[in-house]
Amino acid sequence: MPQITPQSFKYPLFDIYLDYLKTAFGLSIGLGGLIYGLNNTFSQICFSIILVIFIVFGFHSLRRHKTCVKLDGQQVEITDFKQRKILFKDLENIELRYYGRPVKDKDRDQKPKGVLHLTLKSKEQKLTFDSNLYGFRYLVWSAILFAKECNLPLDPSTIGNMLDIGLDPEGSSEMPDPKMSGI
């Protein structure tokens, strides 16, 4: 597809460093509780659970730090701890889903908090990208162009979410800035 230029996308480093800071804080609470906490089984189980949760969170942060998404006219490739790619000609389904968080006392002007997930599926592979990724709108725009070219049907939820972020599911939207963060 001639309109799509090769791009490379990453997650914002500030968010990742903030997640590392949260991980260090959580690990210090978990380890501190195990070392200096009460010497009973219940408190040891609680602090062990805190420690495991923050180890998993830290691993997730490291994966996001290493993630690099490359897009060109033929394929989209994601590299973190391993490399996965989907050729656009092999795409069978494109989904754009919104996962929101409730907001108490929401003002009329305030947008709901949440994240969008773009899922690209082929027979062998499934790749998911979230809206925190730099260039996410460009990635969705590219998926729209390929869906249009390959006559892939889009479900109503995906169409609605595309319209919500200002992209026409028919492919007539202007190209978004590939360096713009998130949505």
Side-chain angles (χ1 to χ4, degrees), residues 23 26-27 48-61:
T23 300
L27 290 175
S48 295
I49 289 172
I50 290 171
L51 195 62
V52 168
I53 287 171
F54 280 98
I55 287 172
V56 170
F57 182 72
F59 182 75
H60 177 70
S61 299

Side-chain angles (χ1 to χ4, degrees), residues 10-52:
K10 289 188 160 276
Y11 285 97
L13 286 179
F14 177 78
D15 293 346
I16 293 169
Y17 292 147
L18 189 61
D19 287 347
Y20 284 149
L21 189 62
K22 292 175 191 174
T23 300
F25 181 73
L27 290 175
S28 65
I29 288 176
L31 281 174
L34 283 176
I35 294 171
Y36 300 111
L38 298 175
N39 202 6
N40 65 37
T41 306
F42 179 74
S43 67
Q44 289 176 345
I45 289 172
C46 289
F47 285 114
S48 295
I49 289 172
I50 290 171
L51 195 62
V52 168

Side-chain angles (χ1 to χ4, degrees), residues 9-11 63-64 67-71 75-80 84-86 88 91 93-99 115-121 125-140 142-143 182-183:
F9 310 114
K10 289 188 160 276
Y11 285 97
R63 184 185 60 80
R64 286 182 55 199
T67 297
C68 181
V69 176
K70 294 181 181 174
L71 171 76
Q75 67 184 7
V76 61
E77 177 181 321
I78 185 169
T79 305
D80 45 28
R84 300 169 311 272
K85 67 179 174 181
I86 289 184
F88 282 116
L91 274 180
N93 191 14
I94 297 172
E95 294 178 351
L96 186 63
R97 299 286 181 256
Y98 175 74
Y99 298 95
V115 67
L116 281 169
H117 283 201
L118 174 66
T119 304
L120 305 176
K121 295 179 189 174
Q125 194 73 261
K126 174 182 163 183
L127 301 179
T128 302
F129 310 93
D130 70 55
S131 56
N132 295 322
L133 185 72
Y134 275 124
F136 180 77
R137 287 186 75 230
Y138 186 83
L139 194 61
V140 173
S142 301
I183 50 174

